[in-house]
Amino acid sequence: MLNSRPYQSKPSTNDSEPQPCPKCGSKPEVTKAGSNRCWVQCSKFGKNGNCSAISQQGSTKKEAIVLWNKLK
């Protein structure tokens, strides 16, 4: 049976790598705007698809990844 989640990786044991999207399983993207605004969003967010998963903004990449990995 085929898995409906297109992007699969091993669950991250640390907070340096974002886990797959909690809603659709797609690959996440880390976005940085300015010197202290970072967030993680699903690669199928917005005009790339129809997933609405996005993390809260963090002041660092690591903080944004931690916030993303807490999404359910």
Side-chain angles (χ1 to χ4, degrees), residues 15 29-41 54-71:
D15 292 324
E29 297 175 342
V30 179
T31 304
K32 183 171 178 156
S35 61
N36 62 350
R37 285 184 16 203
C38 295
W39 64 91
V40 181
Q41 64 188 33
I54 187 168
S55 72
Q56 294 178 340
Q57 290 185 7
S59 57
T60 64
K61 178 180 174 182
K62 184 175 181 176
E63 183 180 353
I65 290 171
V66 168
L67 292 168
W68 169 264
N69 288 345
K70 288 181 180 179
L71 290 178

Side-chain angles (χ1 to χ4, degrees), residues 21-26 42-46 48-54 68:
C21 177
K23 291 187 176 184
C24 72
S26 294
C42 178
S43 60
K44 295 187 178 195
F45 181 81
N48 297 326
N50 61 359
C51 186
S52 62
I54 187 168
W68 169 264

